[in-house]
């Protein structure tokens, strides 16, 4: 399914669980770079309930950003995807987003008013040539046919107040460069709120910010989620943020979800050697300072010419030679709702230590 | 005062741009002991990077002294020149944040690591090769890769190259400017352990500049908290993290998200943002965001005072 | 991008990546440049142009001083291979002169009776002697028609000079003046730009103002004024030199600006500070780190500046301010076409324009390719 077509009368209709808003099924993304093909996302499955926050964590190059951009259909043309991304629209219809044309009318309507995204660098999301108020009301006018210029401005003021921007009457007529990073991230969140989306994709939204500002933004996102009831797909490399923000967590490594579970399952009972290593290698505030940090040896390989194997096998201390490096590892259920992609979980194989 | 390696005295840095003076660093006083690690924390614009760069003379400080204790007595590192400079320059080195920008992309790894030797010693090519071999072993780089160019390496390995370069002159003090901030979690742990091993082996002293508080807590003996170019609090790591005294330190520590869903801390969410250093508030620079600010805080700058072996700049600590 | 491949790669793949790892910055550039098809094609075209120019006297059947009054304004001669259905090899027909029954203009038409084969590597007519590279006397020419036949591949002009020969001999000037001029420009631009960028302060201010002054002169009148100063009695070689100097005197500010801004931006790079902290003296900083870091940009800029110099030479000669006949350049050739009748009756005389066009385009495409290849972070 390499070609994306905007079929007006979809022959195929899709079903997803009624409480889900998004289901990603067997998503594969390949990126052609120079001479080779990067298999950036390899068979990713996950689902997102209404009003829930799912954390997508992993190190750089694990495919978390590619996955999120695929949902919005904003990956560049050298990315080829397979699989299904099923999304329930506000009208209740289930669409496979991969079948839509990237620039088609359907996708454009979904982007913004159904699915919104906030980025690491809020500056790049705004045009430096127009005032914040201009850019926000433009979005309202675009999505709401009944809005007038005056009513849009009112809405913008309300939204700016909601995201905690002091003195919105003055701020609304300022340009992006007059805002600090934290303020701009708030404005971006206000922009997102203007469209009232059902699903918010937050791609490292606080990485560029200072700790105290990060705390403000996270607080804001939490309270807005409570108020508007949207679902959030939170992409980050910071395990601390995940522990504080998310209901469920998907840990990604080399394009695969190696472990999926509730935030407590992941943090209190990590089962995949990678998750365990990652948590142990983090310096913690409550740890004895003389303790040496745990190390995962080696570096993340480049996903080129992948053959069936566990992506982590060459850095894993518990690698089963002959199995992990030659077989496609299936998912195992460690406890209800806690999936682990590791051979060691299989009954009869040496138990996990 | 033996065992002292470095004394920073009244160090200030003023940037002038378009007629406006921006005070990036105001009157920093810090005594660094041999073999210790001082963590320097704060948010962007607090002057921690400027402090580090002034100490290594990457940029010129506006006023103040950096007294360096050598075998031949105390010298002001900021004023030395000529032969003295050539002699002591190598003792204070730096590891950069961005392992991409700090390596010249046009030189091989061998040339990058050996460059300081060529400027500071009269070693023969053979001796240089041996020295590079030794240091690459030490920092865990594969010798087979020495003829490669930086673009062939990942972030963690580039940082090892940077560490090898700063270490090859066997310096006494290394300023680590956000040395692990750009790295992934699993790589970050590798580099932190490496820095600790090297410290033990060579009796190194670190100024460890970072915004990552958990990393600073792990690696430092003492921690200096900075805000808007000023010292806010300085103390032993354990004490400072267990019982922060300054309201800013308290807020900073409470803002760090803990990697545990069941740990709940009373988060102090600060209002507002770091003020513009070109136009700092009167009195205590932190007062516009401080919940305990009094009239005195608004008018007068609090001096750095000692409480229980801790230096704190706050009027409300009695 | 940190390019690390996992252990599970095939052996051949590892070999290939090894080459990549050991590639220097220049190696990487060459690799990227080779992928730019248009730039590669243009480079090929330029190599052919320059080789043709170097071996110009050998390839051109006539020298600059030769002409044939019997064959004035002759159309390009077609080269044939078959005579009445039989393969003969390359030949031209003999030529006879007729009058057009309507316009009464003299016309040269093919004499279908007479076959003149084309011979290769022949000794030319007397008058066709030349010194190759100004050193080796010779009269060897690439081709010639037997039995007094005439080959004018691009036709002749109103004095009966072979246009093909003149285009080739003209390229010696039109293609080499810009290169010499460019080199001069680089020396000036690099020196002045580095002064401004490295030292800054009042030196920078003075140089900046100077650049603005030079740049605000309208170019064509400036050229005209300067070239009017060239004495008419000068030999072509001297005129050639002077024109080069004039061209580069006007074009250095562009490069000086690039060099200055590169110096200023590279001064702030981390790796420069790293080198300074490791004790590099100022001279080493400049020669080992700063200049190499933007050398590739300078080369790109140089390539991109050649087209404007080609046009510059052409313009000067076209305006009659550069070279004069019998010395030849593309500009001189075009000057002879600035009459309406040329376009009406003798449109082959516009052929030199194609060469100006092609070489300018090729330099631009090559510069494009170099620029894309020179960006180390892409």
């Amino acid at each position: 399914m390499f070609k994306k077509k905007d079929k007006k009368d979809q022959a195929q209709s899709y079903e997803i669980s009624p409480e889900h808003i998004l289901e990603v099924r067997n998503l594969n993304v390949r990126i052609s770079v120079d001479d080779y093909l990067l298999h950036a996302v390899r068979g990713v499955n996950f689902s997102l309930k209404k009003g829930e926050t799912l954390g997508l964590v992993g190190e750089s190059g694990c495919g978390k950003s590619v996955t999120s951009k695929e949902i919005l259909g904003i990956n560049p043309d050298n990315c080829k995807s397979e699989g299904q991304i099923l999304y329930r629209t506000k009208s209740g219809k289930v669409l496979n987003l991969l079948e839509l044309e990237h620039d088609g009318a359907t996708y454009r309507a979904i982007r913004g008013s159904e699915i919104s995204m906030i980025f690491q660098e809020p500056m790049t999301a705004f045009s430096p040539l127009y005032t914040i108020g201009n850019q926000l009301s433009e979005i309202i006018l675009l999505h709401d046919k009944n809005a007038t210029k005056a009513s849009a401005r009112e809405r913008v003021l309300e939204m700016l107040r909601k995201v905690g921007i002091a003195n919105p009457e003055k701020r609304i007529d300022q340009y992006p460069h007059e805002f600090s990073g934290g303020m701009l991230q708030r404005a971006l969140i206000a922009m997102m709120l203007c469209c009232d989306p059902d699903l918010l994709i937050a791609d490292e939204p606080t990485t560029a910010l200072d700790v105290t500002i990060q705390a403000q933004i996270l607080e804001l996102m939490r309270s807005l989620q409570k108020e508007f009831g949207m679902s959030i797909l939170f992409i980050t490399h910071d395990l601390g943020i995940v522990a504080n923000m998310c209901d469920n967590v998907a840990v990604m490594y080399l394009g695969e979800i190696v472990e999926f579970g509730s935030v407590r399952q992941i943090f209190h009972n990590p089962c995949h050697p990678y998750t365990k290593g990652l948590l142990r290698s983090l310096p913690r505030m409550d740890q004895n300072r003389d303790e040496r940090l745990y190390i995962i040896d080696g570096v993340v390989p480049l996903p080129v010419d992948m053959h069936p194997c566990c992506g982590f096998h060459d850095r894993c201390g518990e690698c089963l030679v002959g199995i992990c490096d030659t077989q496609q590892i299936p998912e195992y259920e460690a406890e209800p709702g806690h999936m682990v992609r590791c051979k060691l979980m299989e009954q009869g194989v040496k138990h996990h230590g | 005062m033996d065992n002292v390696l470095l004394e920073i005295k009244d160090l200030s840095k003023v940037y002038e741009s378009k007629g406006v003076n921006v005070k990036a660093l105001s009157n920093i006083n810090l005594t660094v002991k041999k073999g210790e690690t001082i963590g320097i924390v704060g948010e962007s614009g607090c002057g921690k990077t400027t402090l580090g760069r002034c100490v290594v003379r990457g940029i010129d400080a506006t006023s103040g002294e950096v007294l360096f204790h050598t075998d031949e007595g105390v010298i002001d590192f900021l004023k030395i020149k000529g032969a003295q400079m050539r002699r002591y320059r190598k003792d204070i080195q730096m590891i950069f944040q961005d392992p991409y920008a700090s390596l010249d992309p046009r030189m091989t790894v061998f040339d990058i690591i050996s460059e300081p030797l060529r400027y500071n010693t009269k070693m023969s090519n053979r001796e240089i090769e041996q020295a590079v071999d030794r240091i690459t072993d030490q920092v865990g780089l594969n010798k087979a890769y020495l003829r490669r160019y930086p673009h062939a390496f990942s972030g963690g390995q580039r940082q090892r190259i940077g560490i090898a370069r700063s270490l090859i002159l066997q310096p006494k003090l290394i300023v680590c400017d956000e040395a692990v901030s750009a790295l992934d979690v699993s790589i970050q742990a590798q580099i932190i352990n490496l820095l600790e091993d090297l410290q033990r082996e060579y009796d190194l002293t670190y100024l460890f500049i970072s915004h990552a508080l958990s990393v600073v807590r792990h690696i430092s003996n003492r921690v200096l908290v900075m805000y808007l170019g000023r010292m806010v609090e300085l103390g032993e790591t354990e004490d400072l993290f267990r019982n922060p005294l300054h309201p800013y330190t308290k807020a900073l520590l409470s803002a760090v998200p803990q990697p545990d869903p069941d740990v709940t801390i009373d988060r102090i969410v600060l209002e507002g943002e770091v003020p513009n250093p070109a136009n700092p508030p009167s009195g205590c620079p932190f007062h516009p965001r401080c919940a305990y600010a009094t009239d005195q805080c608004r008018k007068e700058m609090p001096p750095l005072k000692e409480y229980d072996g801790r230096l704190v700049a706050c009027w409300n600590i009695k | 991008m940190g390019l690390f491949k996992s252990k599970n790669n095939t052996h051949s793949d590892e070999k290939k990546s090894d080459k990549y790892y050991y590639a220097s910055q220049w190696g990487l550039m060459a690799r990227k440049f080779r992928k730019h098809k248009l730039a590669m094609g243009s480079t090929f075209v330029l190599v052919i142009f320059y080789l043709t120019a170097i071996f110009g006297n050998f390839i051109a059947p006539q020298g600059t001083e030769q002409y044939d009054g019997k064959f004035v304004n002759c159309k390009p001669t077609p080269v044939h291979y078959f005579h009445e259905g039989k393969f003969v090899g390359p030949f031209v027909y003999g030529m006879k002169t007729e009058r057009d029954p309507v316009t009464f203009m003299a016309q040269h038409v093919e004499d279908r009776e007479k076959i003149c084969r084309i011979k290769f590597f022949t000794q030319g007519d007397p008058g066709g002697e030349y010194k190759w590279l100004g050193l080796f006397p010779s009269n060897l020419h690439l081709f010639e028609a037997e039995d007094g036949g005439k080959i004018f591949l691009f036709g002749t002009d109103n004095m009966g000079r072979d246009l093909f020969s003149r285009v080739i001999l003209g390229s010696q000037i039109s293609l080499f003046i810009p290169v010499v001029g460019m080199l001069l420009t680089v020396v000036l631009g690099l020196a002045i730009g580095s002064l401004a960028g490295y030292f800054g302060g009042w030196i920078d201010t003075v140089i900046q103002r100077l650049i603005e002054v030079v740049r605000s002169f309208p170019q064509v009148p400036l050229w005209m004024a300067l070239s009017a100063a060239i004495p008419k009695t000068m030999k072509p070689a001297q005129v050639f030199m002077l024109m080069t100097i004039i061209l580069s005197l006007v074009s250095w500010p562009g490069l000086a600006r690039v060099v200055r801004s590169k110096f200023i931006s590279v001064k702030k790079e981390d790796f420069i500070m790293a080198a300074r902290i490791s004790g590099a003296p100022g001279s080493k900083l400049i020669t080992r780190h700063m200049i190499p870091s933007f050398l590739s940009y300078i080369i790109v800029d140089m390539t991109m500046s050649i087209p404007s110099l080609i046009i510059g030479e052409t313009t000067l000669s076209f305006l009659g301010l550069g070279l004069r006949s019998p010395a030849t350049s593309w500009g001189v050739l075009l000057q002879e076409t600035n009459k309406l009748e040329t376009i009406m009756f003798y449109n082959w005389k516009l052929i030199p324009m194609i060469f100006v066009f092609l070489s300018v385009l090729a330099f631009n495409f090559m510069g494009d390719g170099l620029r894309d290849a020179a960006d180390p972070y892409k």
Side-chain angles (χ1 to χ4, degrees), chain C residues 119-244:
Chain C
K119 282 191 300 178
F120 291 95
F121 300 101
T122 57
Q123 289 296 322
D125 302 329
E129 297 94 350
Y130 58 91
K131 278 187 179 171
W132 188 60
L133 301 180
L135 294 172
F136 310 104
S138 165
N139 198 10
L140 190 69
H141 289 271
L142 182 60
F143 60 91
E144 190 188 35
E146 276 180 332
D147 310 325
K150 295 283 173 194
I151 315 176
F152 304 120
L153 288 177
F154 295 166
T156 61
D157 63 9
N158 52 5
M159 284 174 71
R161 290 180 292 199
D162 176 28
L163 196 57
F164 176 70
S165 303
R166 297 192 79 210
V167 165
I168 286 177
L169 296 173
S171 73
Q172 290 178 335
I173 298 234
S174 293
L175 290 178
F176 282 97
I177 275 203
V179 173
V180 179
M182 179 267 293
L183 290 176
L184 217 68
T185 309
V186 167
V187 172
L188 280 173
L190 201 59
I192 299 175
S194 331
L195 267 172
Y198 190 74
F199 290 105
W202 66 268
I203 299 182
D204 186 24
T205 315
V206 169
I207 291 174
Q208 284 271 76
R209 297 296 89 79
L210 182 69
I211 288 175
E212 276 152 26
V213 169
V214 174
R215 281 185 80 114
S216 54
F217 276 127
Q219 285 213 337
V220 174
L222 185 69
W223 284 339
M224 291 172 79
L226 288 169
S227 23
I230 301 177
K232 298 214 181 329
T233 52
M234 262 191 172
K235 283 187 203 142
Q238 287 169 315
V239 176
F240 176 107
M241 266 324 291
L242 275 173
M243 277 175 62
T244 316

Side-chain angles (χ1 to χ4, degrees), chain A residues 1 4 22-30 39-46 56 63-72 75 80-86 96-98 233 252 255-257 341:
Chain A
M1 201 187 300
K4 285 165 192 163
L22 181 77
E23 274 186 28
V24 173
R25 290 185 189 162
N26 196 22
L27 179 69
N28 279 281
V29 183
R30 291 182 175 81
H39 203 159
V41 178
R42 304 185 294 141
V44 159
N45 290 295
F46 65 84
L56 214 50
K64 54 188 194 295
S65 275
V66 177
T67 306
S68 67
K69 284 183 185 149
E70 200 55 51
I71 295 171
L72 266 184
N75 269 327
K80 298 267 177 269
S81 48
E82 291 169 67
Q84 292 181 343
I85 298 177
L86 303 178
N96 182 1
L97 298 181
L98 282 185
L233 184 61
M252 286 189 80
E256 279 182 318
I257 293 184
R341 200 178 277 277

Side-chain angles (χ1 to χ4, degrees), chain B residues 53 56 58 89 93 96 101-107 115-116 119-120 144 147-149 151-154 157 165, chain C residues 1-2 4 18 20-25 28 270-271 273-274 276-281 284 288-289 292-293 377:
Chain B
R53 297 203 166 188
V56 292
R89 160 94 273 176
Q93 291 292 313
F96 290 82
S102 60
L103 305 179
D104 190 334
R106 283 150 200 89
M107 289 165 76
E115 193 185 17
Y119 300 140
N120 293 283
R147 299 286 163 198
R148 294 182 174 182
Y149 286 83
H151 65 82
F153 294 86
S154 67
Q157 277 166 312
R165 169 178 59 191
Chain C
M1 203 165 33
F4 273 80
D18 255 18
Y20 175 82
Y21 291 147
Y22 288 103
S24 69
Q25 208 68 33
L28 283 183
D270 269 0
F271 69 87
M273 182 173 286
R276 195 162 45 217
I277 289 169
S278 56
K284 290 274 182 202
R288 269 188 78 100
H289 296 284
S293 79
Y377 298 110

Side-chain angles (χ1 to χ4, degrees), chain A residues 150-198:
Chain A
S151 75
R153 194 181 161 87
E154 275 310 304
R155 272 276 291 288
V156 172
L157 279 174
E158 183 196 326
M159 290 304 161
L160 288 179
R161 220 166 282 132
K162 207 153 237 162
V163 297
I165 289 180
N167 204 354
E169 289 81 7
K170 190 181 140 211
R171 288 295 196 164
I172 192 169
D173 292 320
Q174 283 183 336
Y175 288 88
H177 69 262
E178 294 173 85
F179 279 55
S180 68
M183 278 297 153
L184 220 46
Q185 196 60 280
R186 283 172 193 268
L188 188 57
I189 292 174
M191 180 144 134
M192 172 277 287
L193 284 179
C194 288
C195 318
D196 188 21
D198 280 0

